Amino acid sequence: GSAGSLVGRGSRPPSSGAGSVAGSRCGGSNRGPTPLSSCRSTSAGSLTSHSQHDYRPPSVAHTGRLWSEEGCPRLTPHGRPAQHVPAIKSVKVRTMGASVEPVPPCVWTDGVMHLGGEDSWPAHALPLFVFCGRDRPRPGYREEVKITLTEEKYVNFGLRMRCGGGDRYAGGTIGLVHSPMRDEAHPGTEGQLVMVTNIIVQPDGSVVLTVVGDLPFRIRKAWFPRGLRGLQAAFVDVDPTAAYQDLLLPTCDSERPIAR
């Protein structure tokens, strides 16, 4: 009697209630139970729609770059020799008088004269002074001249040499190179060795270098070291026979039978 009264009042049997819940979960109506195959197809369609969205965090989706490789112009490296290198345009050269000292000033080649002219001398590394005017100073072998410099980079380097930055006390060995177009010195460029023996700083900011001429050289390798702050350095080869050719005429003058 109680069961019949419950059914008569409009209560639903358990099977119909379960079917309605399953139908509501699968997206169907409450009219009746939904087949299992239709429920699977509906769930697969919902998963496909959710997979179209990107749920990754911004740290993964964005690279942090404010430019794109397609829209940004690319720079090609400059593989040719450097141009517009620091150079000395105008220089004042003053020739000194003949020295009365019997011993001439010491130059770099004096340290390798014991090797003779038959064996090749070792390559020497030295800083380069580039001149872009009509010509560079060309002192003779063991000739003493004074050079006045006003360019900032060379003045700073002269102060470093005066404070002990060279291979000689208050000076050192440098190379003189001529480059009219202010190009980088390349292998094969010819120049001349000189020994800086004294450096005087003027009140106007210029520097006066007292140099002694040495032998000519040929550059083997040149580069821009970071410590020279824009100046070049190079390994140079010196011809051993040039020293004996320069000493030929003074030797002939000193010999009385030959001088006649």
Side-chain angles (χ1 to χ4, degrees), residues 11-173:
S11 63
R12 299 176 181 177
S15 59
S16 63
S20 62
V21 173
S24 62
R25 290 179 179 178
C26 295
S29 60
N30 297 332
R31 296 180 179 178
T34 305
L36 183 60
S37 59
S38 63
C39 182
R40 290 179 178 178
S41 63
T42 306
S43 61
S46 63
L47 291 177
T48 304
S49 62
H50 285 293
S51 62
Q52 296 177 357
H53 301 280
D54 191 2
Y55 293 99
R56 295 181 300 173
S59 60
V60 178
H62 302 283
T63 60
R65 294 183 296 185
L66 302 179
W67 53 273
S68 61
E69 297 182 358
E70 293 77 9
C72 183
R74 297 182 180 181
L75 301 178
T76 56
H78 182 77
R80 294 176 296 177
Q83 300 176 352
H84 305 289
V85 298
I88 304 172
K89 185 176 182 180
S90 59
V91 59
K92 298 180 180 179
V93 181
R94 185 176 60 180
T95 304
M96 304 295 295
S99 178
V100 296
E101 298 179 0
V103 180
C106 180
V107 293
W108 179 81
T109 53
D110 289 342
V112 292
M113 281 293 184
H114 64 280
L115 299 177
E118 298 179 358
D119 300 334
S120 60
W121 290 352
H124 182 48
L126 47 82
L128 298 180
F129 278 36
V130 182
F131 295 85
C132 63
R134 294 182 178 179
D135 197 4
R136 61 172 178 83
R138 297 180 181 271
Y141 184 64
R142 295 186 184 276
E143 181 184 3
E144 188 176 8
V145 298
K146 288 188 176 183
I147 301 175
T148 304
L149 304 178
T150 57
E151 281 70 14
E152 181 181 0
K153 290 185 178 295
Y154 292 96
V155 169
N156 294 337
F157 183 75
L159 295 176
R160 291 179 55 185
M161 295 182 63
R162 189 174 184 273
C163 297
D167 55 356
R168 177 189 171 95
Y169 173 75
T173 308

Side-chain angles (χ1 to χ4, degrees), residues 123-126 128 187 217-223 233-237:
H124 182 48
L126 47 82
L128 298 180
F217 63 81
R218 186 181 299 272
I219 294 179
R220 176 187 297 184
K221 178 183 178 182
W223 72 99
F235 285 107
V236 298
D237 295 325

Side-chain angles (χ1 to χ4, degrees), residues 187-233:
T189 304
E190 296 182 353
Q192 183 181 3
L193 290 174
V194 294
M195 175 64 71
V196 180
T197 58
N198 190 20
I199 301 175
I200 301 176
V201 182
Q202 300 294 336
D204 58 353
S206 61
V207 171
V208 179
L209 304 180
T210 303
V211 301
V212 180
D214 205 343
L215 298 182
F217 63 81
R218 186 181 299 272
I219 294 179
R220 176 187 297 184
K221 178 183 178 182
W223 72 99
F224 288 89
R226 185 177 300 177
L228 294 185
R229 299 179 181 180
L231 302 186
Q232 299 181 73

